Amino acid sequence: MSEQYNLSTMPVNHQATWSGFYKKSLRERQTQLKLVFPQVFTSSTPASVYVTPDTSPCNSPISVDFSSETNDQNIHSNSVLSDNSKINYLINKLESLSTENNKQIFPINGLDESIADNMIENCIGTIGLPVGLALNFIINGKSIIIPMAIEEPSVIAGVSGAAKTISAYNGFKATTTERNTIVAQVCLLDISQENMNFAVDKIIQNKSEIIKIANKYCDNMVKRGGGVCEINVRRIPRKANRNRNNYPINSDNFMEWLVVHITIDVCNAMGANCASTVAEGVAPFLAELTGGRIGLRIVSNLNVERMSKATFRIPLHMLAYKSLSGKEVAARIIEAYEWAEVDPYRATTHNKGIMNGIDAVALATGQDWRAIEAAAHAWACDGVRIHNDNFQSSNSYGSLTTYWIEKDEQLVTTGKTDDECLMFCGELELPITVGTAGGVLKTNQVYTYNLGIMGNPNAQELAMSMVCIGLAQNFAALRALATEGIQRGHMSLHAKNVAIAAGCPTNAVTSVAQRMIEKGKITLSSAKNIIELYMNEQVNISKNLLSNSLKIEDKFEKVCENLSNSLSNQVQCNIN
């Protein structure tokens, strides 16, 4: 008698739930998601439920902790599964159901063309990206599954592997700003140098009035508890056009740009459109106040008041890999990081790896990944990080992450050796502007499902997930580079893409890719040769099967004939 299980007891985020997930077929993974997240994958639930966290039936698995320490005892508080039999049973059970809901196309799929046509100009179609799940993440003491949309192999495997190592020892700690803000900029021109101090003073003296007027242009945010909360003024020295052939036709009677920053609390929205609307609305009052000419009025995608930070801390011995000790691996990772700190050529690739993770989450959840990318690379410049009131420094571009080794003072008191007390630490901090309400989130239903898988986080929680993904991806890349090299894992996955590009049948991709790896030649020509050999093998196998089938059929006919003769003879004997 088969064991019966209750669907409602399926744990959402326990590691055992996802054990062997990568080995399952696509259909099996989709079925498992339906089982684990029934409140997300039900046709009877309106999609809008999943957009606004306040009305969501599924609370976010990340707790927003701006200052307090996480209670480590709660890290593994989810129920434990003894094995995978329960999950596999439920998957098979659901697969066997012939309900109308189960016949529907899995909802995480390409955007409908009729919707796409109304989203952009001159639409001619849509393009798809694979969506996968980053597993093993424990952030602020709670487990979370994070969807990622990316075409590059090894990224999801890399972050999941790194998260497994880090989550085995307390996981990630993440913080972010309490308010979800965005900055609108208004540039005021033609203010002479002698009047600059007067203009700055007028803005500072009239802050309250400026905020009052600006809030008229974002009244919906004000009703939700947000709105304009701060006004700042920046004076930036004007520089000559770097193109020598430039013929100046604009006014040149000012030596500084006077830029007003309007900080807006946009609640759970990304807020770019809101910021630009406020900037345009309040600009005439600022011009009247200062006597300046209105210049550009636009959102800024660099918001240093909206920072997110992720950290982890693990014992050195947990970094041991094959013949390398944890101490050796840690030293190599830190060497790689320190190189990126001083060489922009290395730092660009180093930071690109970080954004592999962050951008993939942004794409999967409907964020402006271009804005996030731009802000991250600006923050990688020392001038922005150190002199963020001016931004004019010519200091170099460096690593976004930081790694170091420190002693655990508590372990020291237990009498352990110096090496046993060493901890490997990693940190990533950068400005991340995201939203979980409004915008395209209501247009493209895929985003609502992906956010539902995450537990419908608010904007701060989403930002914390993204910065943890970025840190995990960078740690995974540096660990691979410092030990066996990046190509071993990367090329094994890349081989599958080459096989597909060479026209390999779906059921043969894994086999063809493996043969290319064994030969050490992952090229289109190699793939085509292997596919031809594979197809010939399959033809021969089919011929042999057919031949054996015909032989069996002949034998069966002879047996039937002999049996028929035997029965006929027996009947004749009985008659006689």
Side-chain angles (χ1 to χ4, degrees), residues 149-254:
I150 189 168
E151 85 294 343
E152 184 173 335
S154 78
V155 172
I156 293 177
V159 297
S160 298
K164 187 174 183 179
T165 299
I166 293 166
S167 294
Y169 187 85
N170 295 343
F172 296 86
K173 308 295 182 187
T175 58
T176 189
T177 50
E178 187 171 358
R179 302 192 80 167
N180 194 41
T181 60
I182 199 164
V183 171
Q185 289 184 295
V186 177
C187 184
L188 299 170
L189 309 172
D190 295 346
I191 300 175
S192 61
Q193 200 61 31
E194 57 268 23
N195 290 329
M196 187 62 71
N197 288 337
F198 169 80
V200 171
D201 290 341
K202 289 290 285 184
I203 293 171
I204 294 172
Q205 292 166 8
N206 288 273
K207 267 190 179 183
S208 299
E209 185 64 20
I210 296 170
I211 290 174
K212 182 179 178 181
I213 293 172
N215 273 331
K216 293 179 180 178
Y217 297 95
C218 60
D219 55 336
N220 283 335
M221 292 298 175
V222 175
K223 290 175 183 176
R224 296 173 194 160
V228 179
C229 53
E230 186 57 82
I231 303 291
N232 291 301
V233 187
R234 294 174 51 232
R235 293 171 62 170
I236 306 173
R238 190 182 185 192
K239 290 184 178 181
N241 191 304
R242 64 182 174 185
N243 190 315
R244 297 177 186 176
N245 296 323
N246 178 64
Y247 183 85
I249 59 173
N250 60 333
S251 173
D252 59 357
N253 65 344
F254 64 95

Side-chain angles (χ1 to χ4, degrees), residues 444-491:
N444 190 339
Q445 294 300 300
V446 171
Y447 301 142
T448 67
Y449 286 103
N450 286 338
L451 287 168
I453 290 171
M454 294 184 71
N456 297 297
N458 61 28
Q460 290 99 322
E461 291 164 343
L462 177 58
M464 287 193 290
S465 295
M466 291 168 75
V467 76
C468 288
I469 282 276
L471 180 56
Q473 173 58 21
N474 185 242
F475 169 62
L478 293 186
R479 182 171 60 175
L481 283 166
T483 54
E484 61 185 0
I486 202 74
Q487 289 297 77
R488 184 178 178 273
H490 183 82
M491 294 308 289

Side-chain angles (χ1 to χ4, degrees), residues 85 139 239 321 339 343 381 394 477 488 537 569:
S85 60
I139 304 174
K239 290 184 178 181
Y321 182 78
W339 176 22
D343 181 3
C381 299
S394 60
R488 184 178 178 273
E537 288 173 3
N569 291 334

Side-chain angles (χ1 to χ4, degrees), residues 10 12 41 90 93 97 105 154-155 187 207 214 242 244 262-263 277 367 403 412 444 451 500 512 530 555 564:
M10 175 66 71
V12 174
F41 297 98
L90 291 173
K93 186 73 173 176
L97 298 178
I105 296 174
S154 78
V155 172
C187 184
K207 267 190 179 183
R242 64 182 174 185
R244 297 177 186 176
I262 306 160
T263 303
T277 300
Q367 308 304 312
Y403 296 98
V412 172
N444 190 339
L451 287 168
I500 293 169
V512 171
I530 293 172
K555 289 181 180 179
S564 177

